Amino acid sequence: MTRWGILATGHIAACFAADLRLVPGAELVAVGSRTRESAEKFAQQHDVPRAYASWAELAADPDLDAIYVATPHAAHHEAALACLAGGKAVLVEKPCTLDLPTTTELVETARARGVFFMEAMWMRTNPLILRVLELISDGAIGDVTHVRADFGVAGPFPPEHRMRNRALGGGSLLDLGVYPLSLAHLVLGPPQHVQAWARLSPEAVDENTGIVLGWDSGAVATLSCGMVGATAITASITGTAGRIDLPEPFFRPGSAVLHRLDAEPETIPADLTGGGYQYEAIEVQRCLAAGLTESPLVPHAATLEVMTLIDDIKARIGVSYG
């Protein structure tokens, strides 16, 4: 049995708590927040035995095996450090932190302590996405030449909303753009060439961003994210012998469509249960049972490489959280 704690009490925390019920061998035993009222309300809503009024108290609970950090991303670094200091396995919501130096500190701290650490990039543990990667590896679409993905939401968001609040790591790149970037990285690895442009909000966070990545192989990726209009939130992966389309939302699709040259399109069903968060919890538990301190599906190197790319793009579009 893996005994879980959840740090934070917002929407994503609630989604994770619901999906954790679908995970064999998982037990949600504690929740921590910065206020006792919030922690106790969440505990009551989700039938959690223990509620803590501080992150440190949660991290110090001797009966916990793993903690899911579900705060807004500006607080990921501080919260995850507290959990690692308590010797707990950590699953931290994406993006891992606001920048590469703080992400690197978390990875190095986890490695130094010999504690499991993983970014909650759930797309990398999704069974259908893993099947798509198998098809690509098996040559179903030939050599990959192009990845296209978008993630835009309509808004509008008031200035104090976390999407526009610079102090909370606002903007579309960190919140939404991490998905198209992670898909391109998942398929092609780190790019050798990067170009980006964005329109910034009055708060100096990106509200509409376009990204073009290039690889020395000749492959390209055209990606976008924004909070000024609802895009299709779809993706396609094109190769020399075909294409795979991922419908909305591409990071948790209900199916995929394989287009081979000179063949009828083939629909690949997802056959998924729950909201999709359970698969990252299953991966954490699998790794803990095997004595691993990082996941082969969401390795530290991938987290660091994507954050390196995000920092590069932030510099190009003029966004800073310092």
Side-chain angles (χ1 to χ4, degrees), residues 171-191:
S172 64
L173 178 62
L174 287 179
D175 202 82
L176 310 175
V178 65
Y179 283 110
L181 288 170
S182 292
L183 180 65
H185 180 276
L186 190 55
V187 173
L188 289 164

Side-chain angles (χ1 to χ4, degrees), residues 254-277:
S255 63
V257 181
L258 171 61
H259 301 266
R260 301 179 192 261
L261 293 181
D262 302 320
E264 290 296 315
E266 176 186 347
T267 298
I268 305 164
D271 193 27
L272 305 179
T273 59
Y277 297 92

Side-chain angles (χ1 to χ4, degrees), residues 84-275:
L84 291 173
K88 302 301 187 293
V90 174
L91 174 66
V92 61
E93 190 49 57
K94 59 79 200 161
C96 192
T97 68
L98 296 183
D99 54 39
L100 180 61
T102 49
T103 293
T104 301
E105 182 182 4
L106 291 182
V107 169
E108 291 180 347
T109 300
R111 288 175 175 172
R113 291 179 173 270
V115 177
F116 180 86
F117 179 78
M118 175 179 137
E119 182 183 24
M121 177 42 72
W122 59 335
M123 180 172 63
R124 286 180 171 266
T125 65
N126 183 289
L128 181 59
I129 297 296
L130 295 177
R131 176 60 182 143
V132 166
L133 293 179
E134 286 181 355
L135 288 168
I136 294 171
S137 179
D138 291 342
I141 60 172
D143 295 330
V144 175
T145 59
H146 182 218
V147 175
R148 183 208 58 76
D150 65 89
F151 194 171
V153 296
F157 300 101
E160 65 276 9
H161 192 279
R162 67 173 183 83
M163 289 291 288
R164 287 179 60 181
N165 190 326
R166 186 166 168 268
L168 296 179
S172 64
L173 178 62
L174 287 179
D175 202 82
L176 310 175
V178 65
Y179 283 110
L181 288 170
S182 292
L183 180 65
H185 180 276
L186 190 55
V187 173
L188 289 164
Q192 288 75 55
H193 311 278
V194 180
Q195 293 293 334
W197 177 91
R199 174 179 146 179
L200 302 188
S201 73
E203 299 80 23
V205 299
D206 66 300
E207 60 180 19
N208 203 23
T209 304
I211 302 162
V212 177
L213 307 178
W215 285 260
D216 288 345
S217 66
V220 298
T222 51
L223 315 171
S224 68
C225 57
M227 52 184 183
V228 292
T231 65
I233 317 182
T234 60
S236 61
I237 304 163
T238 302
T240 54
R243 186 182 79 248
I244 297 174
D245 291 334
L246 297 173
E248 178 186 12
F250 71 83
F251 49 84
R252 186 176 52 86
S255 63
V257 181
L258 171 61
H259 301 266
R260 301 179 192 261
L261 293 181
D262 302 320
E264 290 296 315
E266 176 186 347
T267 298
I268 305 164
D271 193 27
L272 305 179
T273 59

Side-chain angles (χ1 to χ4, degrees), residues 119 124 185 297-307:
E119 182 183 24
R124 286 180 171 266
H185 180 276
L297 295 183
V298 196
H300 295 164
T303 294
L304 293 169
E305 287 167 0
V306 171
M307 189 55 67

